[in-house]
Amino acid sequence: GAVVSQHPSWVICKSGTSVKIECRSLDFQATTMFWYRQFPKQSLMLMATSNEGSKATYEQGVEKDKFLINHASLTLSTLTVTSAHPEDSSFYICSAQKSGTANTEAFFGQGTRLTVV
Amino acid sequence: AQKVTQAQTEISVVEKEDVTLDCVYETRDTTYYLFWYKQPPSGELVFLIRRNSFDEQNEISGRYSWNFQKSTSSFNFTITASQVVDSAVYFCALSLRSGEKLTFGTGTRLTIIP
């Protein structure tokens, strides 16, 4: 099966600092990756669609200058939370779509739990 | 726009009982995909099933079964002979193309009481 690895699994950072989360497809190429956010005891909400070699597409209400997404290769997308604040504390999870295939499910990483203190 | 509703926020059943998790969806598209995921306390999403809109056959996988009814826009999930390991949050989701972005329901927290 296809494996998506997220790093780190959890991170604690101080308010005002930036945090980078990596989403890597280990055994397949992913032209498109998706970033979701899940607040405690809530559902997963799509934040943005990450496209290799082009700008990410952000969902309404998501600040693109705060959540920087870079998809520089076919196997890696990064999400950087800039100037993090306690309200950014959440569970961030990515999924990757296999390039050149249709009719497959999205493959999810294991998620990153961010705590901003 | 798509919408997925899971009306049951929390369910508790005693071990070995059967339990059904409800999922109702809304979309104007005729082609779509429905999913169920399990999210244990560790947080990762465990893929359970994908069903496309043209396949209304019910599916059974071990103790799990799914009932897809387009007439009522529902895609319900039943666990028979529940076990403590089934305790988790279960999400129903919809996408217009398989492998693409998902619209999730609010989830149902299932607790199996030993």
Side-chain angles (χ1 to χ4, degrees), chain A residues 22-58:
Chain A
E22 293 186 348
C23 179
R24 198 179 294 271
S25 56
L26 298 185
D27 52 359
F28 65 97
Q29 293 185 332
T31 306
T32 303
M33 293 186 178
F34 304 94
W35 287 96
Y36 297 84
R37 178 170 55 183
Q38 183 183 28
F39 291 111
K41 297 193 175 184
Q42 294 190 25
S43 186
L44 294 93
M45 300 298 293
L46 180 69
M47 297 176 66
T49 301
S50 170
N51 301 295
E52 188 266 337
S54 64
K55 290 184 178 181
T57 303
Y58 290 82

Side-chain angles (χ1 to χ4, degrees), chain B residues 42-113:
Chain B
S42 53
E44 78 272 19
L45 286 177
V46 178
F47 168 79
L48 296 178
I49 190 171
R50 179 192 64 203
R51 173 67 76 217
N52 73 54
S53 53
F54 299 107
D55 183 2
E56 282 195 75
Q57 279 193 338
N58 292 331
E59 179 151 343
I60 298 174
S61 176
R63 296 183 297 108
Y64 297 168
S65 62
W66 291 269
N67 184 335
F68 176 29
Q69 292 196 348
K70 289 179 73 172
S71 60
T72 55
S73 298
S74 65
F75 187 43
N76 297 337
F77 172 34
T78 297
I79 301 174
T80 59
S82 61
Q83 300 176 2
V84 173
V85 293
D86 296 327
S87 296
V89 179
Y90 290 85
F91 289 98
C92 181
L94 179 149
S95 72
L96 297 183
R97 291 180 63 184
S98 191
E100 292 206 353
K101 58 184 178 181
L102 292 163
T103 299
F104 284 88
T106 49
T108 297
R109 182 174 300 275
L110 176 64
T111 302
I112 308 300
I113 303 166

Side-chain angles (χ1 to χ4, degrees), chain B residues 10-68:
Chain B
E10 295 189 25
I11 300 176
S12 294
V13 299
V14 176
E15 194 174 19
K16 297 184 183 178
E17 288 185 353
D18 300 347
V19 58
T20 296
L21 309 182
D22 298 333
C23 173
V24 174
Y25 62 92
E26 295 177 32
T27 179
R28 292 184 177 182
D29 289 76
T30 55
T31 302
Y32 50 89
Y33 293 83
L34 296 166
F35 301 81
W36 275 95
Y37 287 89
K38 174 182 180 180
Q39 187 178 45
S42 53
E44 78 272 19
L45 286 177
V46 178
F47 168 79
L48 296 178
I49 190 171
R50 179 192 64 203
R51 173 67 76 217
N52 73 54
S53 53
F54 299 107
D55 183 2
E56 282 195 75
Q57 279 193 338
N58 292 331
E59 179 151 343
I60 298 174
S61 176
R63 296 183 297 108
Y64 297 168
S65 62
W66 291 269
N67 184 335
F68 176 29

Side-chain angles (χ1 to χ4, degrees), chain A:
Chain A
V3 178
V4 176
S5 177
Q6 244 181 279
H7 178 80
S9 298
W10 60 270
V11 58
I12 302 173
C13 71
K14 290 185 176 180
S15 188
T17 62
S18 295
V19 174
K20 180 185 284 188
I21 302 170
E22 293 186 348
C23 179
R24 198 179 294 271
S25 56
L26 298 185
D27 52 359
F28 65 97
Q29 293 185 332
T31 306
T32 303
M33 293 186 178
F34 304 94
W35 287 96
Y36 297 84
R37 178 170 55 183
Q38 183 183 28
F39 291 111
K41 297 193 175 184
Q42 294 190 25
S43 186
L44 294 93
M45 300 298 293
L46 180 69
M47 297 176 66
T49 301
S50 170
N51 301 295
E52 188 266 337
S54 64
K55 290 184 178 181
T57 303
Y58 290 82
E59 296 298 301
Q60 194 173 7
V62 178
E63 301 174 59
K64 61 181 181 180
D65 294 330
K66 181 170 182 61
F67 299 98
L68 301 179
I69 291 173
N70 184 282
H71 194 156
S73 79
L74 285 172
T75 60
L76 175 65
S77 175
T78 61
L79 168 67
T80 301
V81 183
T82 62
S83 186
H85 288 93
E87 57 265 29
D88 299 321
S89 298
S90 186
F91 186 68
Y92 295 85
I93 191 166
C94 69
S95 73
Q97 180 185 28
K98 270 187 178 181
S99 298
T101 62
N103 204 29
T104 66
E105 74 272 21
F107 301 99
F108 282 88
Q110 69 268 46
T112 298
R113 198 166 301 278
L114 169 64
T115 302
V116 185
V117 298

